[in-house]
């Protein structure tokens, strides 16, 4: 049954953990109906839905590999069936693989590109076909595109593709009244980010920006909510490096 009564509807691919989960929570607080897209961890997705409903939002979780066009189309179709349409799409689903170029495992590179590049194109294509007028599409990059840290070659290259995609799509949406942007976070305090890093490395990264702290998922969620909102609609075709001023 549709609940389309003026409520804006958001799909957050990669919404079960970390920054994505913070975005789900923030959009729920702002009154959106939210679809939590996830790849594998049903418990985390259920917890994200529980947080959204506790904030008063209608929400459900949908399992979809972002690189699988049939699964992604199914997620959009379910959102339309339950909520009446889709207004906002954010894709945070991603994969990280670190290695010097000379030592790269090309199977790992292929897997990275499948999620980070193909997945971004699949979600963007479905969003471009279905998002309603006045809506918003936000893809996710990384501030490593620009800092070029050692061992991040494959990951940064995949996110460079996402930035090119977002800028091109913004222009292709002419006449649709849909803004398209990319957010490129810097180091952000998520469980995934902390994994495998020493306290010394974390402290160094925290001091790499003039604000001298790690980003918090809420910092990125506030930006994502703004870009998705009518108030942020004039921001279009941009890559926003949300990193506290890290160079």
């Amino acid at each position: 049954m549709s609940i389309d009564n003026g409520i804006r509807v958001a799909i957050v691919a990669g919404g079960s953990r970390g920054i994505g989960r913070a975005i789900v929570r923030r959009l729920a607080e702002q009154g959106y109906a939210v679809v939590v897209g996830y790849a594998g961890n049903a418990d985390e997705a259920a917890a994200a839905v529980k947080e959204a409903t506790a904030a008063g939002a209608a929400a459900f979780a949908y399992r979809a590999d972002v690189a699988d066009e049939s699964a992604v189309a199914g997620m959009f179709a379910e959102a339309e069936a339950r909520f009446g349409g889709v207004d906002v799409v954010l894709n945070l689903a991603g994969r990280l693989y670190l290695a010097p170029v000379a030592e790269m495992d090309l199977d790992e590179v292929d897997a990275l590109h499948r999620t980070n590049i193909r997945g971004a194109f699949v979600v963007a294509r479905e969003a471009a076909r279905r998002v309603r007028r006045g809506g918003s599409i936000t893809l996710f990059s990384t501030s490593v595109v620009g800092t070029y840290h050692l061992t991040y070659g494959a990951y940064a290259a995949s996110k460079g593709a996402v930035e090119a995609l977002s800028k091109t799509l913004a222009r292709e949406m002419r006449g649709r009244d849909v803004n398209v942007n990319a957010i490129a976070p810097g180091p952000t305090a998520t469980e995934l980010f902390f994994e495998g890093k020493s306290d010394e490395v974390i402290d160094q990264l925290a001091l790499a920006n003039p604000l001298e702290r790690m980003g918090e998922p809420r910092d990125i969620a506030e930006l994502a909510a703004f870009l998705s909102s009518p108030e942020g609609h004039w921001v279009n075709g941009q890559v926003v490096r949300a990193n506290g001023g890290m160079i």
Side-chain angles (χ1 to χ4, degrees):
M1 179 180 295
S2 170
I3 64 164
D4 188 9
N5 56 0
I7 293 175
R8 284 168 66 85
V9 177
I11 291 176
V12 184
S16 64
R17 297 193 301 164
I19 294 171
R21 187 155 161 181
I23 290 171
V24 167
R25 188 163 50 247
R26 188 69 186 106
L27 294 178
E29 291 168 353
Q30 293 185 333
Y32 287 76
V34 186
V35 180
V36 179
Y38 72 101
N41 194 321
D43 290 341
E44 293 284 3
V49 168
K50 185 175 181 179
E51 291 173 2
T53 55
F60 69 91
Y62 194 98
R63 184 171 186 170
D65 173 358
V66 291
D68 181 338
E69 61 267 40
S70 296
V72 170
M75 179 168 61
F76 277 76
E78 187 68 16
E80 290 172 339
R82 293 201 193 194
F83 298 147
V86 177
D87 302 287
V88 170
V89 175
L90 303 103
N91 180 40
L92 296 98
R95 186 182 182 103
L96 178 65
Y97 169 62
L98 304 180
V101 172
E103 300 173 15
M104 282 181 176
D105 179 329
L106 294 182
D107 288 338
E108 290 285 353
V109 174
D110 287 344
L112 177 87
H113 286 180
R114 183 180 185 278
T115 297
N116 293 6
I117 299 178
R118 178 183 169 86
F121 273 85
V122 169
V123 173
R125 185 180 73 168
E126 207 63 35
R129 292 172 173 177
R130 296 186 186 243
V131 167
R132 295 186 285 202
R133 290 189 65 85
S136 179
I137 302 169
T138 303
L139 305 179
F140 272 73
S141 178
T142 171
S143 285
V144 176
V145 178
T147 61
Y148 306 112
H149 291 330
L150 303 180
T151 75
Y152 278 82
Y155 181 67
S158 72
K159 292 301 188 175
V162 171
E163 294 188 7
L165 167 62
S166 67
K167 286 178 173 288
T168 302
L169 181 57
R171 287 151 180 78
E172 291 180 351
M173 295 300 284
R174 177 182 291 273
R176 292 277 303 281
D177 191 28
V178 172
N179 69 325
V180 183
N181 296 288
I183 295 174
T188 305
T190 65
E191 181 180 343
L192 183 63
F193 175 80
F194 287 132
E195 187 175 310
K197 293 183 175 68
S198 67
D199 290 342
E200 181 181 7
V201 168
I202 292 169
D203 289 343
Q204 289 174 348
L205 291 169
L207 294 174
N209 68 76
L211 299 182
E212 297 188 332
R213 69 170 177 86
M214 294 285 294
E216 295 291 337
R218 181 81 176 201
D219 295 322
I220 311 303
E222 292 288 354
L223 173 60
F226 173 70
L227 293 176
S228 300
S229 72
E231 292 77 14
H233 203 63
W234 188 239
V235 182
N236 190 28
Q238 305 302 311
V239 176
V240 184
R241 303 215 180 280
N243 58 27
M246 182 180 75
I247 296 174

